[in-house]
Amino acid sequence: MKTRAAKLLEKPALPLTIGSALEAIRQERNVSLTEFAQILGISSSHLCNIEKGRKGVSPTRAEDFAEALGYPGTQFSKLLRKLK
């Protein structure tokens, strides 16, 4: 059975953003904002701003996040292209 995060990444229900995808993955893994930010290599306040849609993410950074979380590097950059 696929997780909620996996379903969102494969077939997003609009509007799906990098922030909402990261939040879904974080919640699915039951990880705190601080712990998740450490995994991504950013501050917890930056992660919060991304999750809430106050900050954007470049395609390169999106690929870095995907790889840090164990997804193919292009997984999140594909999502960015769909949102344009």
Side-chain angles (χ1 to χ4, degrees), residues 10-79:
E10 287 178 2
K11 191 172 182 182
L14 294 178
L16 179 65
T17 64
I18 292 295
S20 61
L22 289 172
E23 185 176 20
I25 294 166
R26 180 176 63 79
Q27 290 175 349
E28 194 74 42
R29 293 182 181 187
N30 199 27
V31 177
S32 73
L33 191 77
T34 302
E35 292 171 312
F36 203 65
Q38 288 174 346
I39 293 167
L40 297 176
I42 59 176
S43 70
S44 57
S45 62
H46 191 181
L47 176 57
C48 181
N49 284 329
I50 293 169
E51 285 187 359
K52 300 302 179 195
R54 295 184 290 253
K55 294 271 185 178
V57 176
S58 71
T60 301
R61 177 62 64 92
E63 288 183 10
D64 292 343
F65 288 169
E67 289 174 359
L69 296 170
Y71 293 98
T74 57
Q75 187 73 47
F76 289 172
S77 59
K78 286 179 188 176
L79 177 60

